[in-house]
Amino acid sequence: MRCRLPRTLVFMSKMNHSSQKSEEVPLMKKSVWLIGSASWLLAACENYEGGNGDPSSQFIRELPEGVLAIAATNQDLQAVRISPADGCYVYRHVGPVETTFLPLKSVDGRPICTRPADAAPAG
């Protein structure tokens, strides 16, 4: 004597099997998106400012006397470096929301640079 399932049960079991397969695909897509997004977000944390990540090696230890003489007040002269883009001095400004580099300016408001403005690379 052989047992047979009614046709409706056979159809339901096939339907459940196919629905499990369709649920696995979105879960797999979610994991791929999650892993991809996590790696993208971690890449966003990379130091774009250059250097080896050591804060003390990014800044000029001793500024030239001429720069100290013409630099305006209210600028952090302990955290100064030369911008590779234009050759001008920039200082670290710590604001309430973010920390950024601003051009080091003279008393009369002009940026202090290591080379003349016309010698700066275009581009």
Side-chain angles (χ1 to χ4, degrees):
M1 184 174 184
R2 196 169 156 191
C3 287
R4 272 186 95 166
L5 293 173
R7 285 183 175 246
T8 54
L9 289 178
V10 171
F11 176 75
M12 292 291 282
S13 68
K14 286 182 181 178
M15 198 166 88
N16 285 340
H17 180 69
S18 66
S19 68
Q20 285 177 345
K21 205 172 202 179
S22 66
E23 288 175 11
E24 290 173 7
V25 173
L27 180 61
M28 186 174 175
K29 285 183 181 179
K30 286 180 186 177
S31 0
V32 168
W33 276 104
L34 181 64
I35 291 169
S37 298
S39 61
W40 184 75
L41 289 173
L42 288 175
C45 296
E46 185 177 338
N47 184 8
Y48 288 110
E49 300 297 330
N52 60 5
D54 183 19
S56 63
S57 69
Q58 292 182 356
F59 305 119
I60 299 172
R61 295 188 192 278
E62 257 186 72
L63 287 173
E65 290 181 24
V67 173
L68 291 172
I70 63 171
T73 57
N74 298 331
Q75 300 177 112
D76 184 7
L77 298 180
Q78 301 302 313
V80 176
R81 66 182 187 184
I82 297 175
S83 171
D86 58 4
C88 294
Y89 289 94
V90 292
Y91 73 97
R92 181 181 59 192
H93 172 73
V94 181
V97 177
E98 66 180 355
T99 300
T100 187
F101 286 91
L102 299 175
L104 186 67
K105 298 204 175 187
S106 63
V107 178
D108 58 355
R110 292 183 299 184
I112 303 171
C113 297
T114 58
R115 59 182 179 243
D118 57 6

